[in-house]
Amino acid sequence: MLHPDSILGTGGDASGEPLLAVDEIQGNVLPGFGANFMTFVGLKIVPGAEDGARRWLRELAPCLTTLRQMTGVREVRRAVARATGVRPQMPDLLLNIVLAHSALAALGLDAGGVEPIFTRSMREANFHDPEGVEWQLGDTPEKSPDVLLIVGSDVETIVTDFVASLPGRLDGLRAVYVEPGALLGGDIEHFGFRDGISQPGVRGRLSERPDHVLTRRYFDSGDPRATTYARPGQPLVWPGQFIFGYPVQVEDDPEMPGLVAEPPAPWMRNGSYMVYRRLNQNVAAFRRFAAEHAPAVSQKLGRAVSAEELQALIVGRWPDGTPLVRSPERPDPAMADDDDAVNFFSYADDEPDARIVVDGTSVTIPGAPADDAASRCPHFAHIRKVNLRDKGTDKGSPLLFRLLRRGIPFGPPFAEGEADGIGRGLLFVSYQRNLELQFMTHVETWMNAPDAPEGFGHDLVVGQSATPRFGDLHNGERLLDAPAATTWIVPTGGGFFFSPAVSVLREL
């Protein structure tokens, strides 16, 4: 399978889309590092040494990976992959810096007007996180980084060597947290499901050329979806949903740019709020739950349901990424191997065949039936709870709540028969312009609520509700129950940060 970067689409005429500040926006926000290895390094500013901290960050700023540099790396990846059919390993050192609210005053940055939740620790936020769990970061001031470095590369030693060199180079800061992450084979997460399939396409141009766009466009110009989707299943979203200083999404007209998202403080222009969550995954518990509940689910559905199918119902996809909407009975390897078909489906309406252009050749992607009644993908399936696609949510258009996800697994792969006492999970990262509207809607309102965004159960994958969690069929019949004490993903750290423009760090 060719990596998505290897398929060449077109820019089309995007002259109405804003010119992005390619040398200001940090590269993990747009378009994302996409690296094989990423390590997160948490730093505390030493009291009384604020001048040294500012100086050190200012001197490091020229080393930051920008949007311009990141798109250059991706172009090389794309060119090599197109020529060889294999995604190459890029030896670049990728580096970004994000700041916690606690760092702003020490660094001389105005904290007025920031979102209230940004000023709080993640332990104080209402995520229904279980009590009595030891956190690695974010639960006490001492373990809450003021500054978080994101260090990435496709070559592991480039990351480890840089991180190992830090202690002797720090000035005015000290390290309090170091966590390495690495992609697992097949781009899966620890439960064994392919991850990162559904990402929004961010609008915006990289230069004055009307066709030089951040997100390549693949739809044939004659297809009615060409102006609102980048490729099948990937809606185009205005950059103000993620970055301050750009037009936001208009709910009832996805083609029309909304008002510019003005930053609360001038220094926040071209910046984005970042959420970091360290999530432990108990693979053995997840599989044990599916095995124990499959017989009862089989009886309720009137047909044999395997433990593997029950896991797919909980997630909304088969492990290889095949969506239940398109193939409810079994995984489809050919579909999973097609980066356009694997994400091409909706819930409210049928998707007719799509005409896309690949390397100058027109290709037809078969359409998909609607699943409004959730007869294929349950209402409580994880991918449906957090992304209703073409359906309206209880709060409005799903496009208003999309996140840019940049997470990576940590810990060793699960071994069959293991009791799962080894730490493993996901280092969840998301970028958004509005923490309350975007991230908190997902976590507080949708994942942990049985009646939203469309009802019929909790998100049984990542929900943390203190009450017993459940999933219902579309007719309201209880399909399965998960006791409150049964959670397969447990938060063990996190924090709220801000990814400033590169020039902000240069001028500290």
Side-chain angles (χ1 to χ4, degrees), residues 84-323:
T84 66
V86 178
R87 180 183 184 270
Q89 286 193 347
M90 300 297 293
D92 305 76
L93 174 69
L94 308 173
L95 177 65
N96 274 185
I97 296 175
V98 295
L99 307 174
H101 179 262
S102 58
L104 301 188
L107 298 177
L109 298 172
D110 178 15
V114 298
E115 286 192 62
I117 192 170
F118 178 60
T119 69
R120 301 163 62 190
S121 74
M122 192 163 284
R123 267 296 204 191
E124 297 173 325
N126 184 24
F127 292 162
H128 308 280
D129 291 347
E131 299 291 337
V133 176
E134 181 181 359
W135 274 32
Q136 303 299 308
L137 78 159
D139 57 336
T140 66
E142 176 61 24
K143 291 197 297 184
S144 298
D146 301 318
V147 177
L148 194 66
L149 306 185
I150 307 165
V151 188
S153 179
D154 285 339
V155 179
E156 185 174 15
T157 55
I158 290 177
V159 176
T160 55
D161 288 350
F162 179 87
V163 173
S165 73
L166 283 173
R169 299 164 51 195
L170 293 175
D171 182 7
L173 301 115
R174 58 185 176 85
V176 295
Y177 171 75
V178 177
E179 187 88 64
L183 294 182
L184 302 176
D187 290 336
I188 63 171
E189 46 72 55
H190 283 292
F191 290 150
F193 285 77
R194 183 178 165 193
D195 197 17
I197 296 173
S198 178
Q199 292 272 21
V202 182
R203 293 183 184 269
R205 291 176 293 122
L206 303 174
S207 72
E208 294 290 350
R209 275 176 35 205
D211 63 343
H212 191 196
V213 291
L214 170 65
T215 306
R216 288 172 176 261
R217 317 297 160 87
Y218 296 88
F219 270 103
D220 184 285
S221 59
D223 191 298
R225 291 159 290 196
T227 56
T228 53
Y229 284 80
R231 65 194 312 163
Q234 185 182 38
L236 289 166
V237 181
W238 289 91
Q241 294 302 115
F242 313 108
I243 308 282
F244 282 107
Y246 297 93
V248 301
Q249 195 74 22
V250 175
E251 177 157 10
D252 55 358
D253 188 352
E255 294 184 54
M256 177 68 66
L259 298 175
V260 170
E262 294 295 342
W267 68 269
M268 297 176 73
R269 188 172 299 277
N270 289 309
S272 175
Y273 285 111
M274 173 196 163
V275 173
Y276 182 68
R277 291 266 276 173
R278 186 183 191 273
L279 304 171
N280 268 18
Q281 292 181 252
N282 191 328
V283 181
F286 178 64
R287 295 184 179 180
R288 186 167 55 249
F289 177 88
E292 291 174 352
H293 285 73
V297 172
S298 299
Q299 185 176 12
K300 289 182 178 180
L301 293 182
R303 61 176 178 82
V305 175
S306 67
E308 291 73 20
E309 182 181 351
L310 182 52
Q311 292 177 43
L313 289 167
I314 292 171
V315 173
R317 293 183 184 270
W318 296 96
D320 67 358
T322 302

